[in-house]
Amino acid sequence: MSARAAVGERGFGVYVHVPFCASRCGYCDFNTYTADELGGGGSRDSYVDTVLAELALAARVLDDTPPGRVDTVFVGGGTPTLLPADDLARLLDAIDRTWGLAGDAEVTTEANPESVTPASLKELRAAGYTRISLGMQSAAPGVLAVLDRRHSAGRATAAALEARDAGFDHVNLDLIYGTPGERAEDFAASLDEVVAAGVDHVSAYALIVEDGTRLAARMRRGELPYPDDDVAADRYLAAEATLDAAGFSWYEVSNWARTPAARCRHNLLYWTGGDWWGLGPGAHSHVGGVRWWNVKHPTAYAQRLAAGRSPGLAREVLTGDEAQMEEIMLRLRLASGLPLDVLDDAGRTAAARAVAEGLLAAPDHAAGRAVLTLRGRLLADAVVRDLLP
């Protein structure tokens, strides 16, 4: 990117995309690649050096308006922990030297349960990583098999315990519900294992079948049934009941935390319109109302940077209506709610109708700030459409 954009005041984050996976899960359509899919391009061994070249470019782009400090770092994928812990430490050190990490910076890495060990977790914690998000998906072997997950039942919660022992401030377990063949008791057992693991954050998402995935192909052939919306709604309510009883509170539709400090600050940066630079192939960035994204394939990404060129593929400047639309869509998903003054007159009328119909919670004037929140958090799409400008 050659354009200069002012860094906003809602915090600044850095996202690093690591596009490597040992195998591809049947439901996954993320920008990730196995060794066979890379076809010899985008070497893991040189990957961090390539990302650091983009970081140097980012420092030049923001040299007129540097962020001052980095509040959050999130290393996602793919499976970041397929890289050696030393490489993940080098990434964090370079970000610190480039822009400076805030004293209380939240530093997260995603991980698959089978890709970490007690030793590697201790190395990551010593390097400055404060938070880890482990892909559990389910405690039921049959569900894991349908999803093509490689880890065994019980490995995710064991890894969570190892992360706690390594000294991570916050540990998250990710669940997927609504997988074909999943029984109510399977999901209940998954929730029980999560609670027993002592984590302080849980993410739970309904299975979405994306075109082009192996899972979608199996459903088209009739090998598996498509997910059932009513079943997914029942699973969500089960998650809410179990997690609430265990002391978790929802703060975003699909995310629960034991304490406010356990909430994922990096994701909150996305949901509240903050600024971040995304490093890596396919990564998206947003700074000062300008959004851009990189070329997707690791080989093309590396070739551009090796030639001294930006890996950016395209960009857009959000209009006022687009920014308002995104704020409505995202803020309604948060427990903190949507300020009424974001809506135009038609939106306020639609909001009043939704409140009367029980689809939105009543405005919280007692808190000194009129806000709307979803009631039950199961009708987001239907409600949001009526409120958009």
Side-chain angles (χ1 to χ4, degrees):
M1 298 295 296
S2 59
R4 298 297 195 266
V7 176
E9 298 179 355
R10 299 186 186 182
F12 184 77
V14 176
Y15 173 76
V16 183
H17 187 65
V18 178
F20 308 118
C21 279
S23 63
R24 179 170 293 280
C25 298
Y27 61 91
C28 179
D29 74 335
F30 294 164
N31 187 40
T32 62
Y33 304 85
T34 65
D36 290 342
E37 290 169 338
L38 282 170
S43 166
R44 286 188 209 171
D45 294 339
S46 60
Y47 183 70
V48 169
D49 290 326
T50 304
V51 171
L52 296 187
E54 186 186 359
L55 178 61
L57 170 66
R60 294 194 297 272
V61 170
L62 295 181
D63 63 359
D64 292 338
T65 55
R69 67 174 192 173
V70 174
D71 299 290
T72 65
V73 177
F74 195 106
V75 185
T79 308
T81 42
L82 285 180
L83 297 179
D86 286 349
D87 274 354
L88 294 176
R90 281 205 299 138
L91 275 174
L92 188 57
D93 180 66
I95 293 168
D96 189 18
R97 286 186 286 104
T98 300
W99 286 315
L101 289 172
D104 63 345
E106 174 193 88
V107 183
T108 305
T109 185
E110 293 182 330
N112 278 340
E114 73 279 6
S115 69
V116 293
T117 65
S120 70
L121 290 166
K122 289 176 182 176
E123 289 182 67
L124 291 171
R125 183 65 191 96
Y129 286 80
T130 65
R131 181 185 192 95
I132 189 164
S133 181
L134 293 156
M136 175 177 172
Q137 319 315 355
S138 177
V143 174
L144 293 175
V146 171
L147 295 174
D148 292 320
R149 296 294 290 179
R150 297 188 73 183
H151 65 84
S152 60
R155 174 55 200 155
T157 49
L161 292 169
E162 292 166 3
R164 289 178 57 206
D165 289 343
F168 278 84
D169 296 339
H170 305 293
V171 180
N172 174 66
L173 283 170
D174 266 354
L175 293 174
I176 289 177
Y177 55 85
T179 301
E182 178 191 65
R183 302 168 302 169
E185 52 264 41
D186 292 330
F187 189 57
S190 297
L191 291 168
D192 289 343
E193 284 203 21
V194 165
V195 171
V199 299
D200 63 354
H201 191 284
V202 179
S203 301
Y205 303 98
L207 177 67
I208 297 176
V209 182
E210 302 286 0
D211 289 341
T213 62
R214 192 157 57 244
L215 191 60
R218 294 184 67 188
M219 290 178 180
R220 282 197 304 272
R221 292 194 298 265
E223 297 174 13
L224 293 170
Y226 284 90
D228 185 292
D229 289 343
D230 290 335
V231 169
D234 289 342
R235 299 285 190 272
Y236 184 92
L237 294 174
E240 175 75 345
T242 299
L243 295 173
D244 182 69
F248 290 84
S249 299
W250 78 280
Y251 69 99
E252 192 272 343
V253 167
S254 299
N255 290 273
W256 291 259
R258 285 192 184 274
T259 66
R263 298 169 183 168
C264 182
R265 287 163 46 197
H266 187 83
N267 285 342
L268 283 167
L269 191 72
Y270 296 154
W271 298 326
T272 57
D275 290 321
W276 72 91
W277 193 293
L279 302 167
H284 285 233
S285 302
H286 173 266
V287 177
V290 181
R291 182 159 48 212
W292 66 94
W293 47 97
N294 289 343
V295 293
K296 292 186 69 173
H297 200 279
T299 301
Y301 172 79
Q303 288 173 344
R304 287 199 178 199
L305 285 163
R309 298 167 54 205
S310 166
L313 176 65
R315 56 173 281 177
E316 62 182 354
V317 179
L318 299 180
T319 66
D321 282 349
E322 288 170 339
Q324 183 186 22
M325 177 181 68
E326 291 195 0
E327 184 166 13
I328 291 169
M329 292 174 64
L330 294 173
R331 294 252 181 184
L332 266 182
R333 298 177 62 88
L334 298 174
S336 55
L338 172 73
L340 286 175
D341 58 14
V342 172
L343 301 175
D344 57 19
D345 290 342
R348 289 193 182 93
T349 299
R353 184 169 60 250
V355 169
E357 294 173 355
L359 303 180
L360 288 176
D364 183 11
H365 296 286
R369 183 163 176 255
V371 299
L372 294 167
T373 58
L374 291 172
R375 182 183 296 279
R377 300 182 297 290
L378 295 173
L379 298 167
D381 292 342
V383 173
V384 167
R385 280 194 296 270
D386 288 339
L387 302 182
L388 297 179

